[in-house]
Amino acid sequence: AAGVIQSPRHLIKEKRETATLKCYPIPRHDTVYWYQQGPGQDPQFLISFYEKMQSDKGSIPDRFSAQQFSDYHSELNMSSLELGDSALYFCASSPDRPDTQYFGPGTRLTVL
Amino acid sequence: EDKVVQSPLSLVVHEGDTVTLNCSYEVTNFRSLLWYKQEKKAPTFLFMLTSSGIEKKSGRLSSILDKKELFSILNITATQTGDSAIYLCAVESYNTDKLIFGTGTRLQVFP
């Protein structure tokens, strides 16, 4: 069965650069969630989208933005990268907002 | 292909019952297995297991890993309504540096 796809798998950037992470939900899933997991920490909820509209907002920095496109894939744009942005970024999708979230494999971002 | 399978998908019990959640995996270069509890938004960490046969315990929750048979169980004794959540199992791999999540077990505890 198709799973959540995230790209790239690994990304290395320097401080003050920008990065774009992509998430492709499971087909027919209309809700996408973004999480940030720092080393040894729980995943922190960043933002979610339902039917291409932002549905909830968590601890997403102002330097980050995200959107969900007409094909339901989502992109997380990160600007003015800081060392503290180094983390594993997970995307999850669900077929309906209160339903089970299916997690992608994550994108590991390293900021040097 | 690496995968993590959890069972059951859903479980409904009464307060005071004991439940056992299962997680089986197929991962190359296994590093660790993690259990999370997800109530509303982000999952919260419960246990990390790296060695077979060593039980991790926290209050009414306990977990154990069997690296030979490639599975882990999460036990919750004397369940309470506050235990209602989705319990996620995830496996870390050394070579790919990724965390693979199962689809979770939805536990509902009724008074």
Side-chain angles (χ1 to χ4, degrees), chain A residues 1 9-10 35 37 41-45 56-58 88 90 98-106 108, chain B residues 1 31 34 36 38 40-46 86 88 92 96-104 106:
Chain A
R9 298 301 311 283
H10 300 267
Y35 296 90
Q37 185 177 29
Q41 297 176 4
D42 289 343
Q44 298 295 315
F45 171 71
D56 205 351
K57 193 171 181 180
L88 198 53
F90 286 105
D99 210 339
T100 302
Q101 295 179 29
Y102 295 76
F103 282 80
R108 182 167 294 282
Chain B
E1 184 185 335
R31 175 159 63 182
L34 300 97
Y36 292 89
Q38 184 177 30
K40 289 184 180 176
K41 290 181 181 162
T44 54
F45 172 80
L46 294 175
I86 293 174
L88 292 165
E92 282 187 306
T96 55
D97 194 26
K98 62 183 179 184
L99 194 59
I100 305 155
F101 280 90
T103 52
R106 180 184 290 276

Side-chain angles (χ1 to χ4, degrees), chain A residues 24-43:
Chain A
Y24 297 86
I26 292 171
R28 291 181 294 282
H29 283 199
D30 49 20
T31 306
V32 168
Y33 309 80
W34 284 99
Y35 296 90
Q36 176 193 58
Q37 185 177 29
Q41 297 176 4
D42 289 343

Side-chain angles (χ1 to χ4, degrees), chain A residues 63-108:
Chain A
R63 298 176 290 107
F64 294 5
S65 66
Q67 58 180 323
Q68 186 178 30
F69 294 85
S70 57
D71 63 352
Y72 295 101
H73 95 272
S74 178
E75 294 184 5
L76 178 65
N77 297 295
M78 310 158 74
S79 62
S80 302
L81 287 170
E82 301 172 358
L83 297 179
D85 296 329
S86 295
L88 198 53
Y89 289 82
F90 286 105
C91 167
S93 73
S94 69
D96 198 2
R97 257 187 297 184
D99 210 339
T100 302
Q101 295 179 29
Y102 295 76
F103 282 80
T107 292
R108 182 167 294 282

